[in-house]
């Protein structure tokens, strides 16, 4: 998770965030060991902003990856850790198991280590898979 978080932190440097000035980087570990990163891409029509997590997932899926086993998110412009937004949690759950580890942290050493199932509990996709 340390290496994955370092990749997320680096990805935040590419952030296009002239409106919020809030950089976010995300790094996804794929089942095959490859890592894909993403950053937030804002727009003057604010609602069109794409979060770092969804950028990373789009990059990975576009490269043919479908299963991700860990996720790290870096928000270097905040002291405290900032977790993925609700929309991203839904998209993350599409491609990751409930048990998959997630780390997020800001600029301070404080970090949150959690799992997809904690970010999005009672998720219909995971619940259906459990019953299959
Ligand atoms: N943002 C992300 O990229 N991921 C998150 O998990 C939280 C929010 C972005 C969206 C926007 O560009 C900026 O952070 C401020 O909300």
């Amino acid at each position: 998770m340390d290496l994955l978080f370092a990749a997320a932190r680096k990805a935040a440097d590419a952030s296009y965030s002239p409106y919020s000035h809030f950089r976010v980087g995300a790094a996804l570990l794929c089942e095959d060991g490859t890592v894909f990163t993403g950053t937030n891409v804002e727009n003057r029509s604010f609602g069109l902003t794409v979060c770092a997590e969804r950028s990373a997932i789009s990059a990975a899926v576009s490269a043919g990856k479908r299963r991700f086993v860990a996720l790290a998110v870096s928000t270097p412009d905040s002291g405290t850790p900032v977790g993925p937004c609700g929309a991203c949690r839904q998209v993350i759950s599409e491609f990751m198991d409930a048990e998959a580890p997630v780390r997020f942290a800001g600029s301070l050493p404080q970090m949150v280590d959690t799992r997809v199932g904690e970010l999005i509990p009672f998720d219909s996709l995971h619940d259906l898979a459990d019953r299959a």
Side-chain angles (χ1 to χ4, degrees):
M1 287 310 276
D2 288 345
L3 284 174
L4 200 63
F5 185 78
R9 172 63 191 84
K10 190 165 177 237
D13 288 338
S15 171
Y16 178 73
S17 46
Y19 305 105
S20 73
H21 303 287
F22 191 79
R23 295 168 295 162
V24 187
L28 272 177
L29 178 62
C30 303
E31 210 168 37
D32 64 3
T34 55
V35 171
F36 282 79
T37 60
T39 193
N40 54 330
V41 182
E42 299 189 342
N43 191 272
R44 62 188 182 278
S45 177
F46 296 161
L48 299 182
T49 291
V50 180
C51 293
E53 296 89 329
R54 280 177 288 143
S55 287
I57 289 171
S58 296
V61 172
S62 299
K65 313 298 176 183
R66 290 282 173 87
R67 298 300 308 168
F68 313 124
V69 295
L71 169 68
V73 180
S74 169
T75 55
D77 299 316
S78 71
T80 52
V82 175
C85 78
C88 287
R89 293 177 194 213
Q90 174 72 21
V91 174
I92 289 164
S93 79
E94 185 79 17
F95 299 101
M96 297 182 76
D97 290 337
E99 296 72 30
V102 178
R103 171 176 291 183
F104 50 94
S107 60
L108 298 175
Q110 179 192 0
M111 61 180 75
V112 173
D113 278 303
T114 186
R115 295 188 184 276
V116 169
E118 296 286 325
L119 291 178
I120 182 159
F122 305 105
D123 177 55
S124 56
L125 183 64
H126 294 149
D127 290 348
L128 289 172
D130 288 346
R131 274 187 227 117

